[in-house]
Every structure is written in structure tokens, then in C-alpha cells.
């Protein structure tokens, strides 16, 4: 049994507050245990310069943490005058995770910005940003369909993400921060509603892992993803 | 009567959610109508270099808005690689507003960081940051007293802030964003619980104003400040 | 009596050297006691992007201090790679102070840059920059009228600025640096030739002030402004 | 058969030029087909501040490409004033890949910098940087042993990296740039000489992949890693 | 005869206003025709980190132009967030030119900053900065001797700089801006009072020059330097 | 005799590896003793904005050193977020040196980028970059002629550069790094195949030099330049 009483294959409690901020086309507060991320989706009626002439749209993400989302205050990236490597890695990952489930041609020449702002962090912020960011994205696309701007709903599949880790001798699903600190292996998994992989990022922090461990991790991850997609379905309805 | 049904001398509804984020020494969500600001106070056991040897503490503030706190998405300052002039002005104002009500000698050689992050903006974000930031500051100082780190509670007075503007022919208290856009005069007032001025910042946006108008603005502002300090007292109790 | 022998309501000696630099459309060296500011006005035949289509012009200001304008050498902002908060605050203030007295429609689609470079600082550099910047601005506009580029002279009123402070028990006009350092209250006032307020920025540095003190400060400030506008009139003639 | 005549499970020709630059403690030119990376290892007798007091060393990496390492000239990051997200991702990956095979305690309080500069790029630059960077690292550590600075050789295992992709219907080992551009799935694999995983980074570029495909990719990758480690052994000898 | 009536070997009129700014240890306004440079020398009682332990001092220079020192307004380097290549080249040149005539051992562990701020530019600003910067430097060193901080006056020789150019068929001394624009060859010469070279920087702008032309340029330059050093002597007295 | 056995007027061994990188229009590895510079020439079919409408092309250069091109590792300029003064000086020098031997009208509205990346530095990197950069430039222009993009070959002359220094009592040609460190005088000379000067940059590092020494330096430099141009001719053939 884990510190917070969960079983090895148990997700933390997920809570989704819809229509959280009033301005964005899609906005939720996504909570996974004590990790809380505001996910806002903005529709912008233009595309990046390098995409011109391809008659399709774009999904891009930005990620940030409030200075005191963490136990010790972190200096703001704006104050440092640059975006750190970890932040860049995460926002690129969120974009890569969401784009494969959107029909960019059907989206038309517009960009959806997914802003993921972590107001409280307790591990798994990047996977929470993907799972919650997908909900905000869908909300924004639904509003475009409702307004008649989009004729066809351009979502191809659900997508969710979860972390799995090896802590001591145990493979655990959905690591809290205290577990993440002790993990020898840390793997983030992004999968679709139809059970396919979009992204696998596994890292051995000091302890290379073998094939059997990898298989166990992937199995546990898939289990978690399925539960998260059930939650998405309960909020968004049947969209594919 | 105003767009949202308020009288000229009426504040928007204030809502304070205490213990909002779990890590900071003081943390609230401060709402004033549709303006929502997370105010987190962090205690840091060191002081800025230039204060060394003076045997006193420091209060400093940082201010930021989520990209979609506004109707149109704003580019992040971290992405731009620098903090804009407006942001710097506001965070300097917050610091100047809070320091005069703290006995910095009694605080000892430590810094209190007040992070004000606007998650939804509808006018008056800087005044909300001051009024809410004071509450977070007091909460953090109370925790220092409770832990026995501070012997004496170093707060000298309450402090709150409000905006007043001239819109058309009317002097209005606590401008919402739509009113602020039309205002010819815009004045932010920071006052203490004992009715003294800490900061007056009045600007004629295209329409210079006369002395009678100034007097009316100051009177209305004082009225608003008094109501805000009542709300602070209902939350913090009698602290001075 | 003050350190430099002035009465409480006495301005420092003002000296204006006209046509100071040969290239700008308007150029003066403005001295107020030992504070010396080069004020250059540049006419640029274009407007900022966000003003496009509004058929009006723009007034903007930049402010800087030479490294050794001060007693201790200050590091250049160019070397630091960014413009500090204080500088940004001041240049925004100069712009806000000058725009309300210009008929921006009549100015047409052009920008006037007001560069205020402090070569020697002894307190009151921002108010000197406004009072002197106005003279340089008028000179530049007069040259546009003389060249037939502007048909109508687009100035609506005079504008000047002054600081007032509470030092010990005294309310003093036009603080020198040594007085400013000791001041409990510091207020900058920007007013027009017709006695209206454009900007009030009052700050209690450690000592909140009451209404009677504010009234006394405003009265003294108005007196100083009137004298400064007399000096402007003696240089510029009757322009409104 | 592939464009360059290789079989699906065939690596490009590997060429290692030893002692390439005369100053670094370890220096090679690592070529994998037309991808050419200078890998220099520098020993620095200090550690990052955050590691102080832990009595161990650190391995860190920097990665860069010459502007004309690519078909179209890329702007230098120094000229842009910041390091891009892709570069940061890669240099973090190189560091994470090399650290698990080094006994950082045995290394002592020193840092090894691995500089990977791509002079010609034809796909797989990050995996080449890891495989070649390991050789440079070992060379530098061997020199420390030879000089008597290190008593024990602190290498725990070999490490190499390779890319595998799904292009059309085929799973291909070690993608050249033209193949990488067409790939639906792109996976980078970092493994040790004892067949364990250090890092798996798989991305579906537009085409989510299933479990069977993942298994096939991992098998092909392991095959490639084994060949690369054979090459490392032929250069470095038996070091573990 | 030249545009301004000078002969080919004639300097522009030099004017030196002493004790120009009240704070610096040495301060002059140096004018050479319409080129006007404020030269301020600051004594700082510390040395750069890399000079520690060598028991000697340092001379360093910074150079800047006001935005409207030129006919067309130039954007401030602080606004651009970086110092341009031309500025860096010039400030390095000023430092290199002044250091060889100072006995850095005798100066002791202190730094002299030479700030050269061009308020009006009409060609030859870098050479004016050197010739004027030397005067400000000597003034600052004299003040150190007067205060008893320095026992021995650490100046070894005079130093002055001048530009020479080939315009059309003529070799001209001390180019004004209009001449500089048309010059095929532009050479800046820094020489000592004893007729030795400290720096030669000659550039063919589109027209490579031969040895006879070089000899003529050097002879004319030496003539100009001698006159400038006479002017320095008339101000500073006989200091070596 | 010198450390490496050379006579005073002897160049280090020059080695040129042609077609070094496969993508650039011109690419060589230029070695001069232990100094090794990759010189890549890129043709870009556009010109800088300020050159528009003049119907001519542009030659520009960028220069960089790998962190471990030097004995002690140097921090990357990209990591520092800015290009240092030395780098800027050198890249401006390379551009100025190459432009006078190109007929920019005949080049047409295109830019040639000369990227000089020092992979190993042992003194004279800037002169090696000019001598080698010229070869890469010619190669790129030859390819434009071969492809029929250019009708006339726009090269007007050869150009090469060399350093000469005074070390102790000796005037030495082509300083190695160890000699450069001890030199009292350091002069870089850029000359054409027809024996004309393009650039002279001589600096007295602590020891001002007289006219006879200058003459001797120039004579030795010319000798070195002639040998370098012979080498260029042996590679490029007779091109003017």
C-alpha cells in the first residue's frame, strides 16, 4: 500500500471543473490528486508562417507553473528572461500528443493554443496537462461547431496520458511527487482511446531497466489510460 | 445605474477563498466581481544583498496574468524574454503599498514574496492584488508567529486598494473592465485602516480633470477602501 | 530654510538652452538646479502598428541617465540587456503627460519621439523631463508648421510637472536629491496651463499621510506648476 | 531495400577518428553514414552548486549544429540569443543517457562536459552524439586514471543509442534524414552493454502505433545497439 | 579646399569644457567641430575578477550615442536588449588605447571607467572619445594624487587619436561625417606624445590602397596627433 | 629559431581539404599549423533589407569557436545569450575583408554567408578565417557560374590575411598562440593578390612601437600574404 493508501494500479482522484475561466473557448480546472492545472484552449484565426499554403490548422501548447505551485518557491521564467529546458520539453510534448488525434485539414486554417498553467504541483503535471488539455481542446472545437464555424467535428480519437514508475521493487501507476523523487524508472505514456501509442518517454534515473519491467510498466499504463478516457467520456460524451 | 446593476458607489462582490494553494505560508484566491487573483505569500529566510547589515526584512511582490485571463489571448512574458513595463509598474506598486504597514525591523532578516497571479481579469487587477496580497501576507506572518519564529506580529495597519474613475459625467467606484475602457480619468487609491494615504495614482486619459473632480474621486475611493477593510477584518480578525 | 537656501515654496533655478543639439526637430538642455536633461524631439513619419487606420498621430518618450549622472556610477541598461522597472515607469509617465495636450488627430499619422537623457541628476529628473520635454515637443511641432507640413498647430494647452514632498515636518516644493532621500511623502504632479490635473503620483515612503497633508501638497504643487508654465511661455510665446 | 541500399536492420557505416582535437581530455570525430559529430570531453575540477556536499561528480552535455550542417542554412542560436527547445531536449537527453553508466561517487567532485558539435547532419544526430559521446567520455576518464587522478575507473557499463522508425509499412533501423522525414513513428532507444534500457523516446508523428509495432521496433533497436557496442568495444577495449 | 573651408591637413576646431558634470572624478565635454562627447572618468576601488592577485589596476571604457546624436534617430541599445558590434569594437579600442600610457602597477588595485557619451556626432566620434577620454582619465588620476590616495602619478605618456581618409584623390585629416561617407580609405590612428603607435586601424571601403598612400596617410595622421597633444598639454600641463 | 623550428619569416604549414561538408555551395577545412577552421559558403537568394533597390549583392560572415577549440573550455555564446565583442569584431573584419574583392553588382541580388567555425585554435584564427573564407567564397561563386545562375565570375582579386608580431626583439610572421601571448605588438594584415592593403589592424599590447618597426612588420606581412595567395592559386587556379 502506498503513502496515500492507493493500490499499485490505482489512479489518484480526478476532478474536472468545467467552464473555469470565462474568456477561453475551452476552459477547465483539471485536478489529479493534489496536482491542479488550469487548461485553457484559445482559437486563433491564423496559422504559423511555415504552415502557409497547406490548407490545414495547427495545435500548439504552452506550459507554466506558478512560482509557488511547488513546496519551495521557483523563480519565474519571465524574470529569468528565458524559458527553461524542462518547460520547453513539456510544451512540445503536449503539442505532439494532441495533434495526432485532430484532423488538421478539417480544422481549417486556424490555431488552437492550449495553455496549461499548473497552480499546484504534486507530480504528473505534464500528463495532467495532456489529459486535461484534451478536454479543453474538445470544448473549444465543440464551440466552433456550435457557432457554425466548423462543419465537421475534427476529433479522431480520445487521448490521455499517465506516468508509471518503478519505486523500490514496485511498479506504481500515477506517481505522486514524493514517489517520483524515489523512482528508479519513470515513464510517461500517451495513448489514444483505441489503445494505440502516441508517445512513450521512459527514463532510467540511475537504474537501467529490463524488458520484463518495461512490459509490466506498459500494461499498468494502459490500464490507467483506459480509466482516464472513461472520465473524459463521462464529461465530453461520445465524440468519435 | 451601471451595466452590472451597481450604484456609483458600490463595490463588486468580494469573495475570498482561504488556504487556496497548499504549499505557501499564506494563500488565498481573491475575487472582486469577475477579477480573480491567486495571492500567495512565501517566507524566505534571507534578504536582498543591498539590505544586508540593516537588521530588517523586506516585502516584495511579483504580478502576472495567465495568457487567457483576458478576452484576447496575451503572449506570455516568459516567451517574450522580458517583463513588460506595465507588469513592472504593478509589481513595484504592490510592494510599495504593503511595506508601509509592516514593521520591517520586527519582521527580522527575512523576505516575504507576494505572488499575485491573475487567472481572470475584469478590471482592477492591481488593486485586487494589493487588497488580496495583504490578506496572504498577514496569513504568512500569522504562521510565523504560530511557529514561534516571530515573537511579535509585525503588522502596523490594514491596507486596501480600489480604483475610481470618471466615465462620461459620472464618478464610479471600482471600475469593471468595460468601464475602465471608457474612463476619462482613472485613479488608483491605496489607503490604510486608519484612513491614511499610501499611494495615489491618478491619470487623465485624454481629459485633464479639475480639483472638484479630484475631491469627489478621493471621497468615493475612501468609502470603498473602508468597505474592503471591513471584509479584511471579517477574515483576519482584529490584528492591530 | 533649506540646505540650498530656498524657501519651502521655491523652485530651483530653471535654465533652458535652446537648439542644443543640431539634428533634432526640437532640442533643448533643460536645467533645474543641478538636474540637467537633454530633451530631443524627433519627428518620424510613421505610426505604431496598433494605431493604423485611426488617422491620428502618437507621442512617445524614452528616458535614460548617463552612468555618471549620479554620485555613484550606475551600470548602463544596455550592458544589463534590459530596461529597468524605474526607467519604464518614467518613460510611460512622460508619454501619458504629453499626449493629453496634443490634438493627435491634427498631428496626423506621425510619431513624435521625446528623448530625455539625464546628464546630471539631482532629484526631480522625471518632472524635469516632462517640463523640458514639452518645450522640445512644441519646438518640433512649430518646425512642422513652419515647413508647411502641419496646417494647424496641434497643441491644446501647456503642461509642466513638479515634485513636492514631506520632509520632516515640512512640505517642500521641488525636492533636490538630498531632500528626496529623507522625504516621508513624495508626490509628482503634472498639470496643464489651465490648472487641470493630468497625473498625480503620490507615495508614502514609510509614512502614510492624511488628507490635510495631501491638500497642502497639491496647493504647493499648483503654485510650482504655474511658475514653470510662466517660464515655458517666456520661451515659447503664447501658443494656445 | 532502402535508398542507400541498406537492409531494414542494417546500420549505416560507422567511422571513429580518435584524438581528433588536440586539447580535450577525450576527443573523437564520430561518423554514422553522412552524420558527423565532433565529441569532446572536458574534465573540470569543480561541480555544479546544487551538488555541493554530496561527494560525487557530474556528467553534463552540450549539443550544437553548425549553421550549414543542414541542407538549408540554420540561424545560429548565439545570434538568436537563446537555445532552442530542440537543442535543450537533446542535451538533456545526452546527459541522462551517460550518467547511469558512470559511478558518480567514484568520479569524485569533478564535472565531465560532453560537447557534441554536429558538423554534418543526415539524421540520427542525437543518437550519434550519445554513442560517440560515450567514447569521448571513456577516453577522458582513462586519461584521469593514467594520470593517477582517479584510482578506480568509474565506468559501470557501455551505452549506445540508435533510432528506429516506421516508414510506410516497414520498420527500419538507423534512419537517414530522408527516411526520418517520411516516418510515421520515430523512436530513439538508449541501451547498455548488458541489454538494459536507459531511455525510450517514441513518438507517433501523425500515426499512433500499436503494441506489436512497438515490440518489433524494440527488437530491431536492440539489434542495432548490440552492433554499436561491439564497435565501442573494438575501440575502447574491454572496460567493464 | 574642403566643404567647411579647411585645408587637407587641418583639424577641426577643438573645444574642451572642463569639470562638465559635477560627480565624476574627471569630467569634460570634448568637442571637435560638431562632434561632441561627454567624457567622464570614474574611480572604482575594485578590479575585475580575472585580475585578482596581480597587484595592478585596470582602465576600461564604455561608449554610447544618444539616439538623436545623428541625423536620423537611432534606436537605443538598451531597447534592443544588446550592445551592437560597432559599439563593442569602439569601447574595446578606447580601453586598448588608454592602457599602454598608464602604469597599471602604480595605479594600484582600482579600476578607472571612462564613459564616452556622444551627444552630437559629426564623424570621428571614436577618436574624439580617445583624445577626450585621456583628458578625463588624467583629471581623475590627478584628483587621486591630490587626495593622497596615489603617491605617484601613474601616467607614462600623452595619447591622442585622429582619423585620416582618402576622399576622391585627396588624403584628408580629421574627416567630418560627410567626408567619411565618401571616403575610399578610412584609417584611425592612436599615437603617444613621444610619437609611437598604439593602434592603427585602416580599412579600404571598396578601394584597396597601396603603400605610398599608406605612408602619406600615416604622415598626415602624425601631424594631427601632434596638434592634439599640444591642446592636451595646454589643458593638463606638463605631466610626463 | 622559433619554438616550432620555424624561421622568423616562415608561415606554418597550410593544408586545405576541399568539399569538406557536403551541403554548402563552398566548403573547405582550412588548417594553418594547428589552427583548423571549417569555412562554409552559403548562397542565399535574398539581400538584407537596407540594401533593397541597389541592385547588388552582399557578403557577410559569421565566426565561432567550438568550446574546446582552446586549451581551457570556453562557454558557448548561445548559452550566454549573446555574442561577445571579440566575435563581433572578427566577423565584421571577415566581411570587410572579402567584400572589396567581389563585384557586388555582378553578384546580383543575393547574399553569400561565410561561416567560419574554428574547431581547433592555435593563434591566427581570424586571419585563417579570411584566407580560408576566400577559398570557400570562390568555390560557391564558381558553382553559381557552373549552374548558369551567374554569367560573369564576380571576383576582382585574391585576398589573404596574416598576423605579424613583435615578440621580444624579433619581428615574427604568422604567430602561434604561445607567441601571440608574449607579443608586444600584434598586427593583422589583409592584402590582395595585386599587393594592395584592405585592412591593417595593429595594436601595441603594452609597448607602443615606432615607424621603423611598423615598416618591418608590413614588409614581413606582405611576404607572408604572397605565399598564401600562391597556395590559393594552386587550389583555385587563375581566377582573375
Amino acid at each position: 500500500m502506498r503513502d496515500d493508501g492507493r493500490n499499485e494500479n490505482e489512479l489518484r482522484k480526478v476532478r474536472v471543473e468545467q467552464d473555469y475561466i470565462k474568456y477561453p473557448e475551452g476552459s477547465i480546472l483539471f485536478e489529479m490528486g493534489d496536482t491542479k492545472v488550469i487548461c485553457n484552449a484559445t482559437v486563433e484565426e491564423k496559422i504559423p508562417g511555415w504552415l502557409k499554403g497547406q490548407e490545414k490548422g495547427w495545435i500548439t501548447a504552452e506550459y507554466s507553473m506558478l512560482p509557488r505551485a511547488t513546496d519551495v518557491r521557483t523563480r519565474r521564467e519571465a524574470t529569468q528572461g528565458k524559458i527553461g529546458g524542462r518547460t520547453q520539453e513539456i510544451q512540445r510534448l503536449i503539442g505532439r500528443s494532441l495533434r495526432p488525434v485532430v484532423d488538421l485539414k478539417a480544422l481549417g486554417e486556424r490555431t488552437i493554443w492550449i495553455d496549461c498553467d499548473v497552480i499546484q504541483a504534486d507530480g504528473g503535471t505534464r500528463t495532467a496537462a495532456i489529459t486535461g488539455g484534451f478536454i479543453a481542446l474538445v470544448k473549444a472545437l465543440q464551440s466552433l461547431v456550435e457557432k457554425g464555424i466548423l462543419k465537421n467535428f475534427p476529433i479522431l480519437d480520445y487521448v490521455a496520458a499517465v506516468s508509471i514508475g518503478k519505486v523500490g521493487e514496485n511498479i506504481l501507476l500515477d506517481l505522486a511527487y514524493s514517489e517520483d523523487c524515489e523512482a528508479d524508472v519513470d515513464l510517461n505514456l500517451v495513448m489514444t482511446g483505441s489503445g494505440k501509442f502516441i508517445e512513450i518517454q521512459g527514463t532510467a534515473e540511475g537504474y537501467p531497466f529490463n524488458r520484463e519491467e518495461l512490459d509490466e510498466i506498459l500494461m499498468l499504463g494502459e490500464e490507467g489510460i483506459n480509466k482516464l478516457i472513461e472520465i473524459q467520456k463521462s464529461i465530453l460524451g461520445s465524440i468519435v
Side-chain angles (χ1 to χ4, degrees), chain A:
Chain A
M1 252 237 265
R2 297 156 74 174
D3 281 1
D4 54 7
R6 282 189 285 156
N7 291 324
E8 297 181 353
N9 68 345
E10 197 178 338
L11 293 174
R12 288 176 292 177
K13 193 169 168 359
V14 174
R15 194 180 148 262
V16 178
E17 185 168 339
Q18 300 188 50
D19 302 322
Y20 188 62
I21 301 298
K22 72 173 182 174
Y23 303 112
E25 284 70 35
S27 174
I28 64 161
L29 173 64
F30 186 85
E31 303 186 7
M32 195 142 180
D34 275 346
T35 289
K36 303 185 182 188
V37 188
I38 300 176
C39 301
N40 289 332
T42 296
V43 178
E44 188 188 32
E45 290 295 326
K46 65 178 185 189
I47 49 170
W50 53 266
L51 203 65
K52 291 277 159 67
Q54 299 190 36
E55 293 182 358
K56 60 185 196 179
W58 191 243
I59 313 288
T60 190
E62 290 194 354
Y63 168 98
S64 186
M65 293 216 292
L66 293 203
R68 205 55 201 286
T70 45
D71 193 28
V72 171
R73 187 180 183 275
T74 316
R75 205 174 154 213
R76 286 174 197 270
E77 292 183 319
T79 307
Q80 296 179 63
K82 62 178 177 184
I83 299 179
R86 180 185 171 273
T87 297
Q88 294 204 43
E89 231 173 85
I90 294 176
Q91 49 198 26
R92 286 157 61 94
L93 170 64
I94 302 170
R96 280 202 312 274
S97 297
L98 298 179
R99 282 192 293 271
V101 296
V102 179
D103 180 342
L104 296 173
K105 284 276 179 198
L107 175 57
E109 292 200 331
R110 51 182 62 86
T111 299
I112 314 290
W113 292 80
I114 308 297
D115 284 295
C116 302
D117 286 87
V118 179
I119 61 174
Q120 190 171 283
D122 187 25
T125 62
R126 78 186 69 189
T127 50
I130 293 166
T131 309
F134 176 72
I135 301 174
L137 167 63
V138 169
K139 291 276 185 180
L141 294 174
Q142 286 174 335
S143 85
L144 288 178
V145 172
E146 279 160 27
K147 289 175 198 154
I149 295 168
L150 279 185
K151 267 183 242 155
N152 300 309
F153 187 60
I155 285 289
L156 305 170
D157 206 340
Y158 296 84
V159 67
V162 80
S163 75
I164 315 99
K166 182 166 185 217
V167 183
E169 290 307 303
N170 306 307
I171 308 284
L172 303 179
L173 181 66
D174 184 22
L175 304 184
Y177 181 69
S178 59
E179 293 169 335
D180 191 44
C181 292
E182 291 173 49
D184 286 318
V185 180
D186 185 14
L187 189 142
N188 291 300
L189 198 59
V190 185
M191 293 182 75
T192 65
S194 53
K196 294 197 168 169
F197 297 97
I198 285 184
E199 187 100 14
I200 301 178
Q201 290 202 345
T203 304
E205 318 243 2
Y207 174 87
F209 52 101
N210 60 31
R211 183 60 197 262
E212 296 80 59
E213 289 165 326
L214 175 61
D215 287 344
E216 195 179 338
I217 285 168
L218 292 175
M219 202 179 317
L220 201 60
E222 192 170 353
E223 213 181 307
I225 296 277
N226 287 340
K227 288 176 197 161
L228 288 167
I229 285 173
E230 282 314 302
I231 293 167
Q232 289 178 337
K233 286 183 179 168
S234 73
I235 291 163
L236 300 171
S238 182
I239 56 174
V240 283

